[in-house]
Amino acid sequence: MRKKIVAGNWKMNCTLPEGKKLASEVIHMVEDRVQNDAQVILIPPFIHLTGIYSLIGSVSNIYLGAQNCHQEREGAFTGEVSASMLVSAGASYVILGHSERREYFGETDELLAEKVKFVLDNNLTPIFCCGEKLETREAGDHENLVGQQVATALFELSEDEIKNVVIAYEPVWAIGTGKTASAEQAQEMHAFIRKQIAAKYSQEVAESISILYGGSVKPENAKEIFDQPDVDGGLIGGASLKSKDFVDIVKAFD
Ligand code: PEP
């Protein structure tokens, strides 16, 4: 029931020609070389969405995502992008609550609860990010913090709604640092998140939700992480900007 997913978050990288080249390479390599049924999600900057969508066309198992969206339907919010705009540009997924949005744009779990509900109402699948900073892990408070993030942002949703959420556990200390959580640390936290969902909703709901790991995933470590029983794939930053590395990560599911 849980979907396997590998999502590439390009962040604020690539001009349109660079993005089209990267996406074309990924699409061709996925078509030619990947043997598994994992969903691949390309998550470029907003301005490239339509251009990349036209390249994806009807290739099966490759989807488009956005990196953020606003919590209001429309209106005087200069510089913002709405959920319906993302859908009209071809997006099926949207990252919400990435640690960079929390850190640099002050996004809180209360705001994220609004965003998650709103994008679900607009038929987009949120990829909700959670994860602790290094000092929280060192203080042994990581489960408590991640448990609170998940509960605040997601636990007002109905059972049917939360089943359509993808969660990405991304320890902040592992993002873009080259430091990966060990496969055991990832498994431990994923199992904890799933247990929280089972306690609040049901085992069936918990078993239907894909939980991705993010934080310095590379071709060399992807298989060991994806092999963990509660890890359903990855949210990939840096390595998603190199087509071969990204596709090699997808191939870790072969
Ligand atoms: C991310 O930004 O979501 C991420 C996981 O980045 P990286 O893979 O570069 O650590």
Side-chain angles (χ1 to χ4, degrees):
M1 252 158 90
R2 280 145 52 183
K3 278 182 277 189
K4 292 178 195 150
I5 296 173
V6 180
N9 174 15
W10 297 2
K11 310 193 184 187
M12 197 175 73
N13 291 295
C14 295
T15 60
L16 182 57
E18 289 164 350
K20 283 184 162 176
K21 180 169 178 287
L22 173 60
S24 302
E25 289 170 1
V26 169
I27 292 163
H28 289 132
M29 282 192 250
V30 167
E31 281 186 300
D32 286 355
R33 300 197 207 153
V34 170
Q35 309 290 325
N36 61 66
D37 60 355
Q39 289 196 357
V40 174
I41 310 172
L42 302 179
I43 311 182
F46 289 138
I47 195 163
H48 303 342
L49 285 170
T50 49
I52 305 298
Y53 186 59
S54 62
L55 294 176
I56 296 173
S58 56
V59 177
S60 59
N61 275 348
I62 305 190
Y63 296 85
L64 189 67
Q67 299 175 16
N68 178 36
C69 93
H70 198 264
Q71 66 278 15
E72 300 287 337
R73 191 163 57 88
E74 62 188 1
F77 301 101
T78 302
E80 292 293 326
V81 171
S82 75
S84 62
M85 290 173 196
L86 297 180
V87 172
S88 70
S92 310
Y93 290 88
V94 58
I95 297 175
L96 294 177
H98 190 279
S99 64
E100 288 150 16
R101 301 280 328 161
R102 294 172 182 267
E103 180 77 12
Y104 307 133
F105 301 93
E107 295 200 0
T108 61
D109 289 304
E110 288 74 15
L111 172 71
L112 294 167
E114 278 184 58
K115 290 194 178 196
V116 167
K117 171 80 177 122
F118 195 72
V119 306
L120 285 168
D121 288 347
N122 282 273
N123 300 318
L124 268 173
T125 300
I127 302 175
F128 170 74
C129 300
C130 56
E132 79 286 354
K133 291 186 179 170
L134 187 58
E135 60 265 29
T136 307
R137 178 156 284 262
E138 284 175 347
D141 210 24
H142 43 292
E143 287 193 347
N144 196 15
L145 181 113
V146 170
Q148 267 172 29
Q149 290 176 325
V150 170
T152 307
L154 304 183
F155 283 2
E156 294 296 317
L157 297 173
S158 71
E159 210 173 283
D160 284 343
E161 287 170 333
I162 198 166
K163 280 182 177 173
N164 290 315
V165 174
V166 172
I167 296 175
Y169 167 60
E170 300 206 300
V172 180
W173 46 271
I175 296 180
T177 59
K179 255 193 209 172
T180 321
S182 66
E184 294 72 32
Q185 284 172 321
Q187 167 56 24
E188 200 176 66
M189 187 58 93
H190 284 225
F192 168 76
I193 294 170
R194 211 177 293 287
K195 209 168 110 195
Q196 298 292 100
I197 297 168
K200 169 73 185 172
Y201 294 91
S202 68
Q203 194 61 35
E204 187 234 322
V205 172
E207 280 303 324
S208 71
I209 293 180
S210 298
I211 307 180
L212 315 182
Y213 169 78
S216 298
V217 177
K218 302 177 207 69
E220 302 77 50
N221 58 24
K223 185 164 170 43
E224 193 191 357
I225 295 171
F226 294 176
D227 274 352
Q228 300 303 311
D230 284 290
V231 176
D232 302 305
L235 180 54
I236 319 299
S240 73
L241 297 172
K242 294 185 189 139
S243 53
K244 182 171 182 310
D245 284 2
F246 184 60
V247 175
D248 282 348
I249 292 170
V250 181
K251 279 164 61 72
F253 275 123
D254 281 1

